[in-house]
Amino acid sequence: MVVIEKVKSIFLGNPSPSTKQIHSLDGIRGFAILFVFFDHAKGQGLELFPVLNPTGFGKAGVYLFFVLSSFLLAGQFLRDDCELGRWSLWVSYALKRVLRIYPLYIFIMLLYGIVPSFKYTATDVFSHIFLQEGKDQFWAIPVEFKFYLFLPILMWLIVKVLKKNLGLSTLFLGAVMSASFLITIEPAEVARVSLIKYLPIFLLGILAALIHAHLQNRQTQFLESDTFGYIAEGVALLSLIATFGLITTLRTKPDWFLLQQDWSDTLIFIAFGGAWSLFLVAQLHGRGLIRGLLSHPIIRFVGTISFSMYLWHMALIGYTNAHLNMAPPIKFSIILTITLGVAIMSFFVIERPFFRLKKYLPR
């Protein structure tokens, strides 16, 4: 029992009332990385349950990561005790983002440059590190890091100029989102790692943080009633169903998607961002059924090592799949186990030591 509690404290942390850690959000990370893993394994001919088709879940999982990232980061700046005028806040913010992403990212990039089978040149390695390129699953890293650079500007305007007013902030985010429609990024390899292309997803995550903060600050009888909780639970379920429906629809490549590629991409991002944002906020304010499932220690554990899993899984799937000769479900299970094992070691050896340095950063 002591060992189990120790493992839980290492991977899941010891939440305190002051930090208000929300366990279900850790679980959402776990589901997001499993979406990505199942999709990419399917692309290599591997599946655990042949009756299920995870095609399309990968990008949906990454979009969920984007929404969750913007929701959590924006929420920090919306707290009443957050003083945006302090230089130490911005120094701490920048260093935390670097410590969260770069140590493991640089290590894996160097590995891709050293191992011949990955076929990454020195130019590829440096272009990835400097956020100019995003091959394979690495495309999401430049996109997210560029959002880290853009977020302080948005939050300064929302907090200082718009005074966190929900209506005005919604109009502002809508205006920024509309402007993203007018910007075309060329060529395709630049668009792949452009923040502009995926900006609507992040903006909807910020809007979700604003709505969540607004609901928390309003103490009304209705918002605290069972009725509101059941409504929120239902909205969370419907938004989840809508997301799966969108994934299924896009597999068929509908005519409007093929004929209007330039703007339909943005509409797809808005649809995913809106559905995931709605799900995220609704499950937090629901009766607790979905939140309870997401808060299960196993799925939270997977969420804790999700970043390591994301960076490692493609290489492990490709290499192991090529060297194992057995039934796909068995091979899938072995690869998933190996990926979890490598991610745990990566978490201990690289991620955790660097990220623990945040306690020495200015507050």
Side-chain angles (χ1 to χ4, degrees):
M1 193 69 178
V2 175
V3 174
I4 294 176
E5 291 301 319
K6 179 63 175 177
V7 172
K8 287 175 65 176
S9 69
I10 290 175
F11 285 102
L12 305 181
N14 294 309
S16 63
S18 61
T19 60
K20 298 182 180 178
Q21 182 180 11
I22 304 172
H23 291 172
S24 65
L25 301 185
D26 294 332
I28 286 176
R29 288 193 187 93
F31 275 108
I33 189 58
L34 290 177
F35 287 170
V36 174
F37 184 90
F38 272 69
D39 189 354
H40 289 166
K42 171 71 173 180
Q44 295 288 325
L46 303 172
E47 47 194 351
L48 185 60
F49 305 109
V51 70
L52 300 178
N53 182 7
T55 302
F57 277 65
K59 286 190 175 180
V62 175
Y63 302 155
L64 179 53
F65 276 126
F66 287 168
V67 168
L68 183 58
S69 178
S70 58
F71 174 86
L72 290 171
L73 292 175
Q76 295 177 11
F77 293 115
L78 292 172
R79 293 201 310 260
D80 291 335
D81 60 350
C82 182
E83 301 176 13
L84 298 187
R86 290 188 297 111
W87 68 270
S88 57
L89 172 72
W90 302 110
V91 171
S92 178
Y93 167 78
L95 292 177
K96 283 180 181 178
R97 295 303 93 208
V98 170
L99 290 173
R100 183 70 186 92
I101 297 291
Y102 262 104
L104 181 58
Y105 183 55
I106 290 176
F107 176 81
I108 292 182
M109 281 293 103
L110 294 176
L111 190 65
Y112 266 64
I114 293 171
V115 179
S117 60
F118 291 132
K119 298 179 180 178
Y120 272 41
T121 65
T123 301
D124 291 332
V125 171
F126 281 104
S127 62
H128 277 76
I129 291 175
F130 288 100
L131 312 178
Q132 299 301 304
E133 193 172 359
K135 294 183 179 180
D136 304 310
Q137 79 275 27
F138 300 120
W139 68 270
I141 305 302
V143 173
E144 178 139 351
F145 208 89
K146 290 171 184 176
F147 170 71
Y148 295 160
L149 300 176
F150 187 48
L151 178 65
I153 300 173
L154 292 175
M155 297 313 299
W156 181 275
L157 292 172
I158 289 172
V159 174
K160 290 295 187 180
V161 179
L162 303 178
K163 306 299 182 183
K164 295 187 278 191
N165 181 279
L166 181 59
L168 293 176
S169 298
T170 301
L171 291 174
F172 168 66
L173 293 172
V176 177
M177 190 182 303
S178 299
S180 70
F181 272 85
L182 306 176
I183 303 175
T184 301
I185 306 296
E186 297 290 351
E189 57 268 23
V190 175
R192 180 175 170 82
V193 295
S194 169
L195 171 62
I196 298 299
K197 181 178 179 180
Y198 302 98
L199 187 58
I201 303 176
F202 291 102
L203 295 177
L204 287 164
I206 296 174
L207 180 58
L210 282 161
I211 293 173
H212 175 59
H214 182 73
L215 291 174
Q216 281 188 313
N217 292 332
R218 291 192 64 185
Q219 301 296 326
T220 66
Q221 186 175 357
F222 175 68
L223 292 178
E224 296 176 353
S225 67
D226 290 341
T227 301
F228 179 77
Y230 285 120
I231 292 173
E233 197 81 12
V235 170
L237 181 59
L238 290 175
S239 60
L240 192 59
I241 294 172
T243 303
F244 291 148
L246 180 60
I247 295 171
T248 303
T249 300
L250 291 177
R251 288 179 190 150
T252 66
K253 295 292 192 240
D255 291 342
W256 61 265
F257 179 81
L258 295 173
L259 295 176
Q260 302 290 342
Q261 183 77 36
D262 289 343
W263 57 263
S264 62
D265 273 347
T266 304
L267 290 182
I268 290 170
F269 299 149
I270 291 174
F272 273 114
W276 281 135
S277 296
L278 193 60
F279 170 74
L280 196 156
V281 175
Q283 62 87 24
L284 287 174
H285 294 272
R287 291 293 296 160
L289 176 60
I290 295 176
R291 189 167 65 250
L293 293 173
L294 292 170
S295 301
H296 192 279
I298 293 178
I299 193 64
R300 286 181 57 216
F301 158 74
V302 176
T304 301
I305 60 172
S306 59
F307 184 59
S308 283
M309 281 189 68
Y310 184 82
L311 293 185
W312 283 111
H313 78 281
M314 286 290 285
L316 295 174
I317 290 174
Y319 180 84
T320 312
N321 187 39
H323 290 81
L324 287 180
N325 185 19
M326 53 187 63
I330 298 175
K331 191 187 295 188
F332 178 97
S333 300
I334 292 174
I335 295 174
L336 177 58
T337 302
I338 293 173
T339 303
L340 288 170
V342 172
I344 291 172
M345 289 189 291
S346 179
F347 173 82
F348 267 117
V349 176
I350 302 175
E351 279 197 85
R352 191 165 178 254
F354 276 99
F355 201 55
R356 289 179 71 178
L357 295 175
K358 68 179 183 180
K359 65 183 180 182
Y360 300 109
L361 299 178
R363 297 182 180 275

